[in-house]
């Protein structure tokens, strides 16, 4: 990396704490969740947010988009939502000069930089699948034509962990497309008190734009250039392989898991560890990056058996045991 490029990147990286501060003007607490969403953005992936109603999931995503001046769209998923409502449809137009009629593709809300797929588990699989190509290929195919999505492009899907009756759980193949599975918890007493004080008056915070679209694309390029040693890559490989009951040396996994993570989990863990290094203004990955991000990277890529469900064992419990066992 040339010195001029390095100086430019250092300038961009130095703005990341300012970005977190801007988001913090609106979102109180949830620092770990905000970090994981930003890591997903820097790594060029998508994330799934799970939390009970009222934890400001939608507000958090909208605030991040505002601080980055990125085009934001929210899609409320419902049982009657159709794929065309997401990707767009063709409409019949008429040329007023010639009188000829033609079909014009009318782009749907997926054509934005940040797309919030709200309550994604409340819509049928046919509509959920409409997101798959967009998430993986960064394009939409309609009527035999390809339409490129804007870059940077980030899908953040939310789901409610309660009231599961009548919902459509995401299939494993689609879950695997999400880089991170982020869980939101209730705020602390102090944080909740601050929420009550700051959100029930007339004052509204004014956000400043910290980074542009081009800056984010440059940071995504930088993320892939961050150094990670061969030893840490080998550690990630051992960690991912240890999630598979047929290969694992960890008895805990054999006891509680049906199947483990695939190679995509290793790729995700490497990229996310690099992104966390950038977010913390470092240009090299350390073991803490890997161990911290093992939870959101692996929790949706491990399937527990019926016995684990009955005993109240969670995927986070398994991951904690993995980190303690794999050296």
């Amino acid at each position: 990396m040339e010195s001029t490029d390095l100086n430019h990147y250092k300038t961009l990286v130095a703005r990341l704490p300012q970005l977190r501060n801007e988001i913090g003007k609106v979102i109180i607490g949830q620092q770990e969740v905000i970090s994981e969403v930003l890591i997903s953005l820097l790594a060029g992936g998508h994330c799934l947010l799970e939390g009970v109603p009222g934890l400001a999931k939608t507000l958090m995503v909208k605030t991040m988009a505002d601080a980055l001046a990125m085009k934001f769209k929210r899609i409320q998923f419902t049982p009657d939502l159709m794929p065309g409502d997401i990707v767009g449809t063709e409409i019949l137009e008429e040329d007023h000069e010639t009188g000829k009629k033609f079909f014009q593709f009318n782009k749907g809300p997926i054509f934005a930089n940040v797309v919030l797929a709200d309550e994604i588990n409340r819509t049928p699989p046919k509509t959920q699948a409409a997101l798959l190509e967009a998430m993986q290929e960064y394009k939409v195919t309609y009527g035999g034509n390809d339409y490129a999505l804007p870059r940077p492009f980030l899908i953040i899907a939310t789901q409610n962990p309660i009231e599961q009756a009548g919902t459509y759980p995401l299939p494993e193949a689609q879950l695997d497309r999400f880089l991170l599975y982020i869980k939101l918890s209730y705020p602390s007493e102090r944080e909740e008190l601050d929420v009550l004080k700051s959100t029930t008056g007339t004052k509204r915070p004014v956000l400043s734009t910290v980074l542009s679209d081009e800056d984010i694309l440059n940071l995504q390029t930088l993320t892939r250039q961050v150094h990670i040693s061969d030893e840490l890559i080998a550690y990630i490989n051992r960690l991912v392989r240890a999630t598979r009951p047929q290969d694992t040396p960890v008895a805990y996994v054999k006891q509680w898991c049906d199947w483990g993570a695939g190679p995509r989990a290793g790729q995700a863990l490497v990229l996310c560890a690099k992104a966390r290094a950038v977010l913390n203004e470092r240009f090299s990955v350390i073991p803490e990056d890997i161990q911290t991000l093992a939870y959101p990277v692996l929790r949706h890529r491990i399937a527990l058996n019926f016995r684990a469900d009955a005993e109240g064992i969670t995927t986070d419990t398994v991951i904690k045991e993995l980190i303690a066992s794999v050296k």
Side-chain angles (χ1 to χ4, degrees), residues 111 130 133-141 146-149 153:
F111 287 87
E133 182 188 23
M135 289 171 64
Q136 189 68 19
E137 305 295 336
Y138 294 91
K139 67 177 183 179
V140 166
T141 302
D146 290 340
Y147 301 91
L149 292 163
F153 178 65

Side-chain angles (χ1 to χ4, degrees), residues 1-309:
M1 192 184 299
E2 295 182 4
S3 59
T4 52
D5 291 337
L6 184 61
N7 291 334
H8 175 61
Y9 283 137
K10 283 182 176 179
T11 302
L12 294 181
V13 170
R15 291 188 208 160
L16 288 172
Q18 186 183 346
L19 173 61
R20 295 173 72 159
N21 290 338
E22 289 299 310
I23 297 172
K25 288 180 181 179
V26 178
I27 304 299
I28 296 170
Q30 304 288 10
Q31 288 303 306
E32 185 179 348
V33 174
I34 292 170
S35 294
E36 289 174 357
V37 172
L38 292 176
I39 284 167
S40 186
L41 177 64
L42 292 175
H46 312 284
C47 52
L48 183 64
L49 283 179
E50 183 180 278
V52 299
L55 294 183
K57 298 185 290 295
T58 302
L59 182 61
M60 181 190 302
V61 179
K62 177 71 168 63
T63 303
M64 184 190 73
D66 288 345
L68 295 171
M70 296 201 296
K71 186 178 180 182
F72 170 79
K73 289 289 184 181
R74 176 177 177 265
I75 306 170
Q76 180 63 53
F77 280 74
T78 58
D80 59 350
L81 196 72
M82 298 297 290
D85 298 326
I86 296 173
V87 300
T89 55
E90 284 185 333
I91 56 175
L92 190 62
E93 298 276 2
E94 183 178 349
D95 190 322
H96 296 294
E97 293 182 3
T98 64
K100 289 184 177 180
K101 294 182 179 180
F102 59 95
F103 282 102
Q104 177 73 34
F105 181 65
N106 190 27
K107 293 180 178 179
I110 194 76
F111 287 87
N113 298 111
V114 179
V115 178
L116 179 65
D118 219 352
E119 294 191 288
I120 191 174
N121 58 334
R122 298 206 175 275
T123 203
K126 181 179 180 180
T127 306
Q128 291 174 354
L131 289 176
L132 275 177
E133 182 188 23
M135 289 171 64
Q136 189 68 19
E137 305 295 336
Y138 294 91
K139 67 177 183 179
V140 166
T141 302
Y142 194 98
N145 296 316
D146 290 340
Y147 301 91
L149 292 163
R151 303 293 294 269
F153 178 65
L154 171 67
I155 289 178
I156 300 178
T158 71
Q159 65 180 18
N160 188 342
I162 57 177
E163 297 178 13
Q164 293 300 314
T167 61
Y168 304 86
L170 290 168
E172 287 77 10
Q174 191 161 340
L175 275 175
D176 196 38
R177 301 282 180 181
F178 288 99
L179 189 73
L180 298 179
Y181 181 4
I182 304 169
K183 289 190 175 184
L184 283 81
S185 58
Y186 287 110
S188 66
E189 183 177 359
R190 179 72 236 178
E191 290 167 350
E192 194 161 359
L193 186 62
D194 289 340
V195 168
L196 296 178
K197 289 179 179 178
S198 63
T199 59
T200 54
T202 57
K203 188 177 179 181
R204 292 290 180 268
V206 178
L207 298 182
S208 303
T209 301
V210 179
L211 294 164
S212 67
D213 295 357
E214 187 179 350
D215 291 337
I216 292 297
L217 291 174
N218 284 333
L219 285 169
Q220 288 178 347
T221 300
L222 171 65
T223 296
R224 288 182 171 267
Q225 295 175 345
V226 166
H227 176 262
I228 180 170
S229 68
D230 290 342
E231 290 84 356
L232 288 181
I233 292 178
Y235 172 53
I236 288 172
N237 194 42
R238 288 196 303 273
L239 204 58
V240 171
R241 291 182 64 83
T243 64
R244 303 166 192 166
Q246 66 273 24
D247 298 327
T248 186
V250 183
Y252 204 86
V253 173
K254 290 181 183 291
Q255 183 179 2
W256 302 116
C257 297
D258 266 345
W259 47 266
R264 189 181 281 146
Q267 295 170 324
L269 197 46
V270 171
L271 274 175
C272 289
K274 289 183 174 187
R276 187 177 187 270
V278 171
L279 195 61
N280 287 283
E281 301 182 67
R282 286 185 278 104
F283 293 91
S284 184
V285 173
I286 60 175
E288 183 189 340
D289 296 326
I290 298 165
Q291 291 163 355
T292 300
L293 289 163
Y295 292 92
V297 168
L298 295 175
R299 64 167 56 113
H300 57 303
R301 294 181 165 103
I302 298 174
L304 302 178
N305 55 31
F306 289 112
R307 184 181 172 190
D309 289 337

